[in-house]
Amino acid sequence: MSKQQIGFILLTMAMAMACNPVQKKQQASSQPNIIYIMSDDHGYQAVSAYGYGINSTPNIDRIAQEGALFTRATVTNSLCAPSRAVLLTGKHSFVNGKVDNMSPFDWSQDNFPKLLQRAGYQTAMVGKIHMDGLPQGFDYSAVVPGQGDYYNPDFFVNGQKERFHGYVTDITTDLALQWLGERDKDKPFCLLFHQKAPHREWLPAERHYKEYTQLTFPEPETLFDDYKGRGTAAKSAEMNILKDMNWAGDSKIPPSIMDELGIPSTLNWDKNAYENNLGRMDSAQRKAWDAVYDPIVEDFRKRYPSMTKEELMRWRYQRYMQDYLATIAAVDDGVGRLLDYLRAHGLEENTIVVYTSDQGFYLGEHGWFDKRFMYEESLRTPLAIRYPKEIKAGTKIDALVQNLDFAPTFLDYAGVPIPADIQGQSFRQLVSGETTDWRDAIYYTYYEYPSIHMVKRHYGIRTDRYKLIHFYYDIDEWELYDLEQDPKEMLNVYDDPAYKQVRETMHQKLDETRKAYNDSDENDNRFLDAYNKALK
């Protein structure tokens, strides 16, 4: 047989294999499916796998128990939209351009779902993205506008607005499962499953508020923090549960009762939030809500005139925790439904499942709610990942991973080349146990000031033991924390002579890290000018 004949036969066989649907299906099955579950403002303290004991999340815990739990996962910018832009691009805020909630996001830039699409993946985004414009990189999208609504929410389904009846967490789960059922079964898939909850103003589902409003939760040790050990930034932030949380929208005190008791609105949208959120309910939903919340309001109305500030703080903390943790219970229900679906359809073994949040959240620590700071409760985020093919059940990872690392990790699992301009690192080999080599410091930036909660602009680094933060713009203050000796970050030791060498080492590390990521004071000034123009 001649070389030409052999070549023709080989070419014919290759063409047949390429056209063979069974062969194509086998090739697709070698690439893992990816499901990325992200909630909004879910503090790691409120995932029971972390052992804080304030609530139970059995389904999220399943991911950790059957895979890996990350104990020091962090974000690069603790704010909703910037965090999501970092997830998609694998680049810091000052590179992808989404530095705050106000600035536009350029959807035309590359993101990891686009790269997966080009590699043959079917992609979908369901839930909250909090960035304007039709999401790019997805064959299917069903996203809530802005922050979304808890009851009878609107979704933009492939760009077309549609209202759904029911509870947003359940509807988001329904849409995710529906897409999984209708997808092309011959292709690997990537699903971004983003819950609105537990974002403010925390309206739980009926099945959960009936239970959680009857519970009492332990107070954090620092609930009545006076911030004496820190600088201007901590003292001037406006996220104190007693002083800065909305009475109507957040604590669910009706505007009429506020007026009767002489309680002023905290923010100008306080009462409107209450009316708009509850106003979306139908008569049956509102009747069920009032049956539970009216007695709470009536008890408060009677007690309020004689309550001390300390009693008010404790009351507001319990109201906050009851509603916040109840919204998480529905998120956990949705995770359970998803895991059960994967098992029922034989998808468990070849599907990577991630659970995380877009940032951490304060659950009364330092008297606060919200996030934004580089302090631990805001910086750290829950992270669990399950992939039986590579990750041993019960794995614990202490390495300093960031949301910056999701894009390259998913591309790595999919066998897709990681672009050179992605700034994150794949943690695939780290979580499989093939390596322990990892970064020794993470870098953080925050830009949205002056704005709600008034958290100063800052940047900094965190290592295994220490944290160095620079607050700038209208102040110039440095903070240094020894996380081994002071895990609650109560005492800034920047000017302590005993930490002189540590301070110098951390400054050097900060300079090196900023240079490695191509950040500078010039970037800070550029984004400040853009932010000031947007405010005007």
Side-chain angles (χ1 to χ4, degrees):
M1 187 178 293
S2 68
K3 289 183 180 179
Q4 289 85 355
Q5 288 174 315
I6 293 172
F8 177 77
I9 291 171
L10 291 174
L11 178 61
T12 303
M13 291 174 62
M15 291 176 64
M17 289 175 66
C19 297
N20 187 328
V22 174
Q23 178 68 19
K24 289 174 69 177
K25 191 169 185 177
Q26 289 173 345
Q27 290 172 347
S29 68
S30 67
Q31 292 178 294
N33 305 309
I34 300 166
I35 298 180
Y36 176 87
I37 312 168
M38 183 167 68
S39 52
D40 193 316
D41 293 347
H42 189 174
Y44 60 88
Q45 317 92 301
V47 172
S48 49
Y50 286 101
Y52 287 84
I54 61 173
N55 67 328
S56 177
T57 52
N59 295 301
I60 297 170
D61 291 359
R62 274 175 62 188
I63 301 174
Q65 291 159 0
E66 298 172 3
L69 182 70
F70 291 73
T71 61
R72 290 191 295 190
T74 63
V75 295
T76 61
N77 184 341
S78 185
L79 197 60
C80 297
S83 178
R84 293 158 195 273
V86 170
L87 154 73
L88 290 169
T89 64
K91 301 172 186 177
H92 275 279
S93 300
F94 50 85
V95 176
N96 68 52
K98 187 63 177 170
V99 296
D100 51 49
N101 280 338
M102 296 176 60
S103 57
F105 177 66
D106 179 10
W107 278 106
S108 69
Q109 65 184 299
D110 248 348
N111 61 39
F112 82 84
K114 289 183 181 180
L115 296 172
L116 291 178
Q117 275 186 322
R118 294 171 201 158
Y121 271 74
Q122 194 173 188
T123 60
M125 174 185 286
V126 178
K128 180 180 173 182
I129 188 59
H130 199 198
M131 294 191 289
D132 291 339
L134 182 68
Q136 294 185 26
F138 301 95
D139 301 301
Y140 171 84
S141 64
V143 297
V144 297
Q147 299 288 5
D149 292 289
Y150 274 104
Y151 278 84
N152 306 325
D154 296 324
F155 280 76
F156 282 99
V157 181
N158 293 328
Q160 299 300 309
K161 191 173 183 179
E162 184 177 350
R163 180 162 294 190
F164 293 80
H165 183 269
Y167 187 64
V168 68
T169 306
D170 300 336
I171 294 166
T172 303
T173 305
D174 292 342
L175 291 171
L177 295 179
Q178 179 181 325
W179 181 80
L180 286 173
E182 296 174 353
R183 75 187 194 283
D184 183 347
K185 306 301 191 297
D186 292 335
K187 292 183 178 181
F189 66 83
C190 175
L191 167 64
L192 272 57
F193 175 21
H194 293 184
Q195 294 286 14
K196 165 189 167 57
H199 194 279
R200 191 182 189 184
E201 284 90 11
W202 315 299
L203 273 68
E206 180 182 350
R207 64 185 183 276
H208 295 303
Y209 65 65
K210 287 182 175 179
E211 174 189 359
Y212 278 74
T213 52
Q214 305 304 309
L215 301 178
T216 300
F217 298 94
E219 297 173 359
E221 293 179 19
T222 58
L223 182 63
F224 293 96
D225 191 353
D226 59 11
Y227 317 115
K228 284 182 179 178
R230 275 118 320 147
T232 304
K235 294 181 176 72
S236 61
E238 297 176 358
M239 57 174 65
N240 184 271
I241 291 172
L242 175 59
K243 298 176 182 178
D244 304 308
M245 187 175 278
N246 282 337
W247 283 95
D250 295 329
S251 295
K252 314 303 190 299
I253 300 300
S256 60
I257 301 299
M258 288 176 62
D259 293 342
E260 175 189 333
L261 298 174
I263 301 174
S265 293
T266 305
L267 296 169
N268 58 13
W269 45 270
D270 182 1
K271 294 179 179 179
N272 287 339
Y274 179 93
E275 300 291 1
N276 293 338
N277 291 338
L278 272 65
R280 296 187 70 89
M281 296 179 175
D282 64 25
S283 58
Q285 291 167 337
R286 185 60 187 267
K287 182 178 180 181
W289 178 277
D290 289 344
V292 172
Y293 282 84
D294 281 356
I296 296 172
V297 172
E298 180 58 22
D299 177 70
F300 175 79
R301 190 184 69 80
K302 292 177 180 177
R303 294 172 54 202
Y304 176 78
S306 61
M307 292 173 77
T308 65
K309 287 186 177 180
E310 183 176 297
E311 290 171 334
L312 281 170
M313 177 61 141
R314 291 200 155 104
W315 184 90
R316 299 202 76 183
Y317 170 75
Q318 293 300 329
R319 281 277 47 254
Y320 169 35
M321 286 294 94
Q322 288 166 354
D323 289 346
Y324 176 89
L325 295 174
T327 64
I328 288 174
V331 172
D332 191 71
D333 291 346
V335 171
R337 290 176 60 197
L338 176 76
L339 295 178
D340 291 345
Y341 179 95
L342 296 179
R343 177 171 295 175
H345 291 80
L347 294 169
E348 277 190 314
E349 291 301 307
N350 198 42
T351 301
I352 298 165
V353 180
V354 172
Y355 184 85
T356 189
S357 180
D358 53 356
Q359 62 258 321
F361 213 67
Y362 291 104
L363 307 186
E365 299 89 357
H366 309 293
W368 288 335
F369 68 106
D370 208 69
K371 59 263 185 177
R372 300 167 194 265
F373 273 117
M374 195 185 168
Y375 302 136
E376 287 295 281
E377 293 85 1
S378 171
L379 174 69
R380 283 175 54 192
T381 187
L383 175 58
I385 178 170
R386 181 189 183 280
Y387 184 39
K389 283 188 176 181
E390 292 191 18
I391 303 172
K392 293 180 181 178
T395 297
K396 290 286 179 69
I397 303 293
D398 297 325
L400 294 165
V401 301
Q402 289 195 284
N403 55 347
L404 193 70
D405 303 321
F406 287 126
T409 299
F410 295 149
L411 294 174
D412 189 1
Y413 276 121
V416 177
I418 300 170
D421 60 349
I422 280 186
Q423 295 181 303
Q425 300 172 236
S426 169
F427 54 72
R428 180 181 181 178
Q429 291 187 323
L430 183 71
V431 77
S432 68
E434 296 175 62
T435 185
T436 57
D437 186 27
W438 195 248
R439 66 168 67 93
D440 60 1
I442 56 99
Y443 184 55
Y444 181 89
T445 58
Y446 178 78
Y447 302 92
E448 194 170 284
Y449 175 89
S451 186
I452 184 172
H453 300 304
M454 299 300 283
V455 172
K456 304 287 188 184
R457 291 169 177 256
H458 59 289
Y459 60 83
I461 57 167
R462 185 206 195 278
T463 64
D464 284 347
R465 179 168 177 175
Y466 300 105
K467 183 182 295 182
L468 179 67
I469 310 173
H470 182 214
F471 292 97
Y472 66 96
Y473 173 53
D474 59 340
I475 60 173
D476 182 11
E477 295 182 10
W478 291 87
E479 294 183 2
L480 176 66
Y481 294 95
D482 183 340
L483 300 173
E484 183 178 289
Q485 299 297 318
D486 180 25
K488 293 182 174 60
E489 298 169 301
M490 300 293 286
L491 182 62
N492 172 23
V493 296
Y494 186 81
D495 293 321
D496 186 335
Y499 285 87
K500 181 177 183 295
Q501 185 58 54
V502 172
R503 183 178 69 230
E504 291 176 356
T505 300
M506 289 294 285
H507 268 287
Q508 181 179 349
K509 187 66 182 175
L510 175 62
D511 291 343
E512 293 171 352
T513 304
R514 296 192 87 195
K515 184 177 180 180
Y517 286 126
N518 295 316
D519 196 18
S520 65
D521 292 343
E522 184 179 334
N523 278 337
D524 300 335
N525 294 330
R526 176 164 56 93
F527 291 122
L528 175 60
D529 291 341
Y531 184 73
N532 287 338
K533 288 180 181 178
L535 288 178
K536 293 177 182 178

